[in-house]
Amino acid sequence: ILNVEQSPQSLHVQEGDSTNFTCSFPSSNFYALHWYRWETAKSPEALFVMTLNGDEKKKGRISATLNTKEGYSYLYIKGSQPEDSATYLCASLNTGGFKTIFGAGTRLFVKA
Amino acid sequence: EAQVTQNPRYLITVTGKKLTVTCSQNMNHEYMSWYRQDPGLGLRQIYYSMNVEVTDKGDVPEGYKVSRKEKRNFPLILESPSPNQTSLYFCASSPRTGGIYEQYFGPGTRLTVT
């Protein structure tokens, strides 16, 4: 079983702060890395799908980078807002893209 | 509306009573998957299906069965549920197998086995 680790486990920030979290994954047999946003009482929703080393993706105030050689991805949120409060999940897919291994998530709390 | 649906959304049952959780998608997706979510553990994959009649085990398949007889449906079967299967279950689908497509999640099914 691949181990996907996310840190920190939880994070409390003030509105307007910029923040980032880490997803670490085994670099061998890497195929793709997904980021999802999961709000309480809702379903996870995709933020980014990343496949290439050096990939950078951006959606509004949220961006992500990928380093497949060393096995990590960063998610950045610029100017956090209360509505950004959610759990952010990353998932690694191995060669073939069949099996999906999720990390335990980073729970973000943004205080107004 | 493009969506993944699951039924039931909530279920309380007793040990040993067979149950099925249905999952259906209307997006003509090839790939479907079942996950369970437990506190502190994140989402763990139970089974996945690459297409009709093609399924394989994820990381935690013990105690579960699946079938994929039609492209749109991917039911999860618990032949003899036990309390350790109390969890939040999500079904997800993706256009193709291969990981380069995001997964679309259903609303979740909260199962309690007493």
Side-chain angles (χ1 to χ4, degrees):
Chain A
I1 298 177
L2 300 172
N3 283 326
V4 177
E5 306 285 343
Q6 290 189 248
S7 63
Q9 199 169 29
S10 66
L11 191 55
H12 290 74
V13 301
Q14 291 289 129
E15 182 176 359
D17 287 351
S18 292
T19 187
N20 64 84
F21 353 113
T22 305
C23 172
S24 301
F25 54 89
S27 53
S28 61
N29 299 321
F30 171 83
Y31 197 82
L33 191 286
H34 295 189
W35 280 101
Y36 292 87
R37 181 171 180 272
W38 187 12
E39 290 183 72
T40 302
K42 294 187 177 180
S43 307
E45 292 184 352
L47 287 170
F48 305 114
V49 174
M50 309 175 81
T51 57
L52 299 175
N53 185 46
D55 248 356
E56 290 188 27
K57 299 252 176 153
K58 186 175 181 182
K59 186 181 289 187
R61 293 179 292 101
I62 305 177
S63 60
T65 61
L66 179 66
N67 183 321
T68 61
K69 294 185 189 304
E70 296 181 39
Y72 65 83
S73 176
Y74 293 136
L75 188 79
Y76 301 91
I77 302 179
K78 186 177 179 181
S80 301
Q81 299 297 309
E83 57 265 30
D84 294 329
S85 297
T87 297
Y88 291 84
L89 300 167
C90 71
S92 175
L93 289 88
N94 63 353
T95 302
F98 303 133
K99 280 193 172 182
T100 308
I101 307 293
F102 277 86
T106 292
R107 183 76 173 91
L108 175 67
F109 300 88
V110 182
K111 186 176 180 181
Chain B
E1 180 190 356
Q3 59 183 347
V4 179
T5 56
Q6 292 178 230
N7 282 292
R9 294 289 311 280
Y10 303 91
L11 180 60
I12 300 173
T13 190
V14 296
T15 299
K17 186 177 181 182
K18 182 180 177 179
L19 65 93
T20 299
V21 183
T22 64
C23 173
S24 184
Q25 50 90 6
N26 61 2
M27 297 172 280
N28 201 37
H29 285 177
E30 288 184 357
Y31 182 88
M32 297 185 75
S33 182
W34 275 103
Y35 300 91
R36 60 178 289 174
Q37 196 276 325
D38 301 292
L41 294 179
L43 292 167
R44 292 182 293 167
Q45 193 171 39
I46 303 170
Y47 271 94
Y48 59 91
S49 170
M50 291 80 82
N51 214 324
V52 175
E53 302 291 2
V54 185
T55 64
D56 206 350
K57 297 176 181 178
D59 288 325
V60 288
E62 295 78 20
Y64 305 94
K65 286 175 58 177
V66 293
S67 68
R68 187 94 181 271
K69 295 177 182 173
E70 304 168 282
K71 199 171 188 178
R72 63 183 295 128
N73 296 323
F74 190 45
L76 180 69
I77 304 157
L78 285 72
E79 293 272 1
S80 183
S82 62
N84 64 12
Q85 293 178 297
T86 292
S87 189
L88 177 60
Y89 291 86
F90 284 104
C91 179
S93 71
S94 182
R96 300 281 186 273
T97 296
I100 62 172
Y101 300 96
E102 65 191 74
Q103 294 185 31
Y104 296 79
F105 284 82
T109 294
R110 187 164 291 282
L111 173 66
T112 302
V113 184
T114 62

